[in-house]
Amino acid sequence: MSTYRSIEWKDGVVRLLDQRLIPHETVYVDYADYRDVATAIREMVIRGAPALGAAAAYAMALAAVHSQAADAASLRAELAQAAAVLRTARPTAANLFWAIQRVMDRAADPGLATPADIRTAVLAEAHAIAEEDVQANRQIGLNALPLIPDKANIIHHCNTGGLATVGYGTALGVIRAAHEHGKRVHVFVDETRPRLQGARLTAWELKQLGIPHTVIVDGASGYFMRTVGIDLCVVGCDRVARNGDTANKIGTYNLALVAHAHGVPFYVVGPTSTIDLSIPNGDAIQVEERPAREITQIGGEQITPDGVAVANPAFDVTPARYITAIITEAGIAYPPYEESLPDLVARAQEQRKQMEPWAAGSEQVDV
Ligand code: MRU
């Protein structure tokens, strides 16, 4: 069982677990201003595409509940300003933009006549986004079960667990569900340079869950496929284009190529909120470039010669032809993805509509 929570709403503040300090410390930080949440996202206090969606939604709720706006129009204008700031926090994860838009659409409902109505609706929407994420992850885990052999060696890249989501995890959720259903899984954990999300965060989560694992360097995947034998790779996703091209943590593309060369199934895992049907292929995905010091320094100590040239793209795009299947809460998409992904997104929207009375139901917010 997880004893931590990546994000929580508590009495008018957003509480984030500072992921930069894990595994050495578990420190929670409270945020009362949406601008500070935007900074926390940029500085990687919270990271992982679904977690960024929830963080942005709760940041919008902060903007709403702490607003002094006298009328509905003024509050909507303030929310538009908050949305603009939050959209600049990080560019690649689709979930961040998806969640902000969902909150904005909710706030635009003409039936919300007063600032109090809007505040209540915005907070309810943020709670719904967070709650749906956990449910989606659990469903993803169940959907994936038939794809996981009873005994499996699995390579996992980056961190996609409870830390990268609101709870349970996506690709790590698939591993978790397999373990909970009695499958004997062993996880080969890519350390995931440069920020070591695998070595620090995924290993920390797997240890708590009691799932057998071994941390390896990113370049070792071919070695382990040849020597030990790997049954499948599972990775998360930050943005999936209409044709299935997938942006995920840098190194994912290399892993997909090695898996392809060895005939190892390569599964991309994520909620449908990561699928961006508005872009035809991966060329349209903006890849975030992060500071050089993430590469030139390890633990604050410089490891490169002074003034060395560095390129630090945080993500890469794996072409759809190297992806065996894309596992979502609404089902599993197989190629051709241009056909299967729109079907799954439509199915997820239908499922969400059926949940809406619950999502919208909430009491007034005290501020
Ligand atoms: O830079 P990060 O740590 O936010 O990158 C995270 C990833 O690339 C994850 O694999 C992806 O967001 C999926 S998380 C369920």
Side-chain angles (χ1 to χ4, degrees):
M1 279 300 292
S2 320
T3 52
Y4 52 88
R5 218 177 143 89
S6 63
I7 182 163
E8 220 173 347
W9 176 271
K10 232 173 164 57
D11 307 326
V13 301
V14 176
R15 177 162 293 174
L16 301 180
L17 173 56
D18 190 340
Q19 301 192 23
R20 299 169 305 180
L21 305 177
I22 293 173
H24 305 299
E25 286 177 78
T26 45
V27 173
Y28 290 88
V29 188
D30 287 348
Y31 297 87
D33 189 316
Y34 74 86
R35 296 172 198 87
D36 296 332
V37 177
T39 304
I41 290 172
R42 205 168 287 124
E43 294 180 351
M44 312 275 284
V45 172
I46 188 163
R47 30 66 50 202
L52 295 186
Y58 277 128
M60 292 292 290
L62 284 179
V65 300
H66 295 299
S67 162
Q68 304 295 320
D71 55 63
S74 311
L75 180 49
R76 287 193 177 101
E78 286 181 21
L79 286 173
Q81 205 179 344
V85 169
L86 288 161
R87 284 189 186 108
T88 66
R90 290 188 75 190
T92 308
N95 313 59
L96 182 130
F97 300 85
W98 169 87
I100 292 169
Q101 198 51 50
R102 232 181 102 165
V103 171
M104 288 300 285
D105 291 347
R106 184 76 191 96
D109 180 348
L112 304 172
T114 67
D117 291 344
I118 296 175
R119 280 189 201 109
T120 302
V122 164
L123 181 56
E125 197 66 23
H127 283 321
I129 286 169
E131 181 59 33
E132 286 171 29
D133 182 59
V134 183
Q135 291 181 19
N137 293 339
R138 288 188 176 275
Q139 190 58 48
I140 286 172
L142 297 178
N143 292 349
L145 281 177
L147 301 176
I148 315 296
D150 286 339
K151 185 173 182 314
N153 286 331
I154 304 175
I155 294 185
H156 174 276
H157 195 65
C158 196
N159 171 264
T160 64
L163 291 169
T165 61
V166 180
Y168 201 75
T170 58
L172 212 63
V174 166
I175 290 168
R176 200 167 160 177
H179 172 76
E180 285 166 3
H181 282 76
K183 299 189 188 234
R184 286 183 299 145
V185 293
H186 190 102
V187 188
F188 288 83
V189 180
D190 270 357
E191 63 169 354
T192 317
R193 279 282 286 155
R195 294 191 66 103
L196 304 174
Q197 288 92 332
R200 294 190 303 108
L201 309 179
T202 301
W204 185 76
E205 291 200 53
L206 287 170
K207 189 174 172 193
Q208 292 181 60
L209 293 166
I211 300 176
H213 59 283
T214 305
V215 175
I216 61 174
V217 299
D218 298 346
S221 52
Y223 175 86
F224 284 100
M225 284 182 197
R226 278 196 68 168
T227 54
V228 173
I230 297 294
D231 299 287
L232 63 141
C233 300
V234 283
V235 300
C237 44
D238 283 82
R239 192 179 290 259
V240 180
R242 196 180 185 92
N243 73 340
D245 289 353
T246 295
N248 192 51
K249 180 52 56 193
I250 191 78
T252 302
Y253 180 23
N254 295 48
L255 180 61
L257 288 172
V258 178
H260 183 75
H262 285 270
V264 172
F266 187 87
Y267 298 115
V268 164
V269 185
T272 50
S273 50
T274 317
I275 300 170
D276 183 354
L277 294 177
S278 75
I279 52 170
N281 57 53
D283 294 345
I285 297 175
Q286 187 186 342
V287 171
E288 176 185 10
E289 181 73 24
R290 291 199 58 88
R293 66 174 179 279
E294 290 185 348
I295 289 180
T296 58
Q297 299 178 1
I298 293 183
E301 193 177 322
Q302 187 172 323
I303 55 158
T304 54
D306 285 343
V308 75
V310 169
N312 185 17
F315 303 95
D316 57 26
V317 177
T318 301
R321 64 182 174 283
Y322 299 118
I323 298 170
T324 311
I326 300 173
I327 306 168
T328 77
E329 79 281 15
I332 301 176
Y334 290 97
Y337 294 115
E338 284 90 344
E339 290 170 22
S340 54
L341 287 178
D343 279 356
L344 284 191
V345 170
R347 198 184 301 168
Q349 273 163 359
E350 208 43 53
Q351 287 169 355
R352 207 170 292 130
K353 255 187 225 149
Q354 282 160 19
M355 286 168 66
E356 247 164 33
W358 162 78
S362 63
E363 68 274 14
Q364 285 280 318
V365 183
D366 296 323
V367 262

